[in-house]
Amino acid sequence: MSLAHSQDMPKVELTSEWVASMQEKISEVVPIPVFVKDKRKVLIFSLHTGFEHWVIPHTRSVMTLLAERSGAFEVEHSMDIGSFEAEMLQKYDVVVLNNNCPERDHRNLFWDVLKEDTTLTKEAQWQKARELEANLLEYVAQGGGIMLLHGAITMHNMSTAFSEMVGGSFDYHPKQQRIHVKPVDSNHPLVAGFKGKGFSHVDEPYFFKNAYTDLNFRPLLYMESKLLEGLRETPQEHIHYIAWIKKYGKGRLFYSSASHNAQSYENTGLLTFLLDGLRYTSGILECDDSPIGR
């Protein structure tokens, strides 16, 4: 089978055995936790209204295990959009958005929930959806941290403001296939877990649009486009970045399109990468996040 041959990974159930195997992997990443007195508070938000990524519970588990094992974080979970009220967001140092795919009609997760509220007019539903999105943007602009994992980039995919904060919008992806991923700069501290090397895994190769064209971020990982099947015939002007960090106002953002499949979490390099993303967005880890631009 060709390395680029399209393939789907079998779903893995979130069992106690799977969690135990992740705990063992994570103990390799963090052999001895360093506990701090004033822990950073993390919200992991895992609601979806559209496409359901089967990896959602696995990602929630992995991020929780990483955060707690590090000794530096306290974690809360939510699937309630009320978490994005301004006063609620102030409780957290970092918000982790976990594969929050909305329905296709408007690509707006908040609207998808609010349209079911019959006590509100349609105008009021949209007004509230815009208010909650503005709350999230303001939270980051004023110094909050935000991590977006895989499909979370689609949460408000038609919003220009959301795209500018994130660094891009989802465009499309070919079928799942084996992707070769490499660090953009092997000396950057956020990719230290890969030990100067890339890795290979089966994933959805994401492509991006809107704010992505400005490259207003510091890219961390890219994929080798020559291995990809099913690409659109549009010309690509640069290599295909799939993970990056950036400042937004006073806040910090981390995005990683990996991974659609729980099997990718068997890679301790990827686990280290996600933990370092949490450390970066919470302000614990300082590094170069200057944008490369076009």
Side-chain angles (χ1 to χ4, degrees):
M1 179 182 293
S2 166
L3 284 178
H5 188 78
S6 298
Q7 52 192 289
D8 287 331
M9 295 293 284
K11 294 182 180 180
V12 177
E13 294 296 325
L14 184 64
T15 62
S16 57
E17 290 78 13
W18 188 88
V19 172
S21 71
M22 283 299 103
Q23 289 175 320
E24 185 175 347
K25 288 283 185 182
I26 289 169
S27 68
E28 298 177 33
V29 173
V30 189
I32 302 175
V34 179
F35 294 99
V36 298
K37 182 178 180 181
D38 298 318
K39 295 186 178 183
R40 311 295 171 98
K41 292 180 172 57
V42 179
L43 173 68
I44 300 178
F45 182 70
S46 302
L47 176 68
H48 71 282
T49 53
F51 182 81
E52 180 180 5
H53 284 85
W54 68 267
V55 76
I56 288 174
H58 303 76
T59 299
R60 181 173 59 235
S61 178
V62 163
M63 292 306 300
T64 302
L65 291 170
L66 284 168
E68 293 179 345
R69 174 73 182 182
S70 74
F73 303 97
E74 292 179 356
V75 177
E76 292 184 17
H77 298 275
S78 176
M79 296 178 67
D80 180 0
I81 64 171
S83 299
F84 295 89
E85 296 288 355
E87 63 273 16
M88 293 296 290
L89 285 170
Q90 295 309 309
K91 296 168 51 181
Y92 305 108
D93 298 290
V94 181
V95 173
V96 178
L97 299 178
N98 175 17
N99 286 286
N100 313 104
C101 293
E103 296 177 3
R104 290 182 177 272
D105 290 348
H106 297 286
R107 290 285 196 181
N108 187 310
L109 187 88
F110 296 152
W111 158 252
D112 289 347
V113 175
L114 289 162
K115 71 180 180 180
E116 304 300 328
D117 187 345
T118 57
T119 68
L120 299 175
T121 65
K122 185 174 182 179
E123 180 180 354
Q125 291 167 347
W126 273 111
Q127 181 178 351
K128 187 63 178 179
R130 288 190 290 267
E131 175 190 321
L132 293 177
E133 180 187 349
N135 289 346
L136 177 58
L137 271 61
E138 181 67 9
Y139 160 78
V140 181
Q142 292 303 315
I146 186 168
M147 290 184 71
L148 297 94
L149 302 178
H150 195 54
I153 197 170
T154 70
M155 185 169 163
H156 296 282
N157 212 54
M158 294 183 181
S159 167
T160 299
F162 189 78
S163 182
E164 289 174 351
M165 177 186 73
V166 174
S169 305
F170 173 74
D171 188 9
Y172 77 103
H173 67 76
K175 292 181 179 181
Q176 289 193 61
Q177 54 200 276
R178 183 158 294 279
I179 301 171
H180 286 248
V181 179
K182 293 185 176 181
V184 176
D185 175 6
S186 59
N187 293 317
H188 195 282
L190 254 69
V191 298
F194 300 117
K195 303 184 186 307
K197 301 178 181 179
F199 65 97
S200 174
H201 70 155
V202 175
D203 202 2
E204 291 176 332
Y206 271 24
F207 287 81
F208 308 96
K209 60 182 180 179
N210 297 336
Y212 178 85
T213 59
D214 295 328
L215 301 180
N216 190 24
F217 51 70
R218 172 62 47 176
L220 300 174
L221 300 175
Y222 72 97
M223 58 184 174
E224 291 189 332
S225 59
K226 65 182 180 180
L227 297 177
L228 298 173
E229 290 182 348
L231 291 180
R232 292 178 179 173
E233 294 302 319
T234 54
Q236 301 294 329
E237 298 178 354
H238 44 72
I239 64 176
H240 308 298
Y241 301 120
I242 61 170
W244 58 78
I245 54 174
K246 69 188 295 284
K247 294 297 292 291
Y248 181 75
K250 298 177 182 178
R252 301 179 176 198
L253 180 141
F254 171 98
Y255 174 68
S256 174
S257 70
S259 172
H260 182 82
N261 300 305
Q263 289 88 337
S264 300
Y265 295 137
E266 297 171 9
N267 181 346
T268 56
L270 184 59
L271 294 175
T272 304
F273 182 61
L274 294 174
L275 178 56
D276 284 341
L278 194 58
R279 287 170 169 157
Y280 164 75
T281 52
S282 66
I284 294 173
L285 192 159
E286 297 288 341
C287 61
D288 182 8
D289 52 16
S290 60
I292 60 169
R294 292 182 61 83

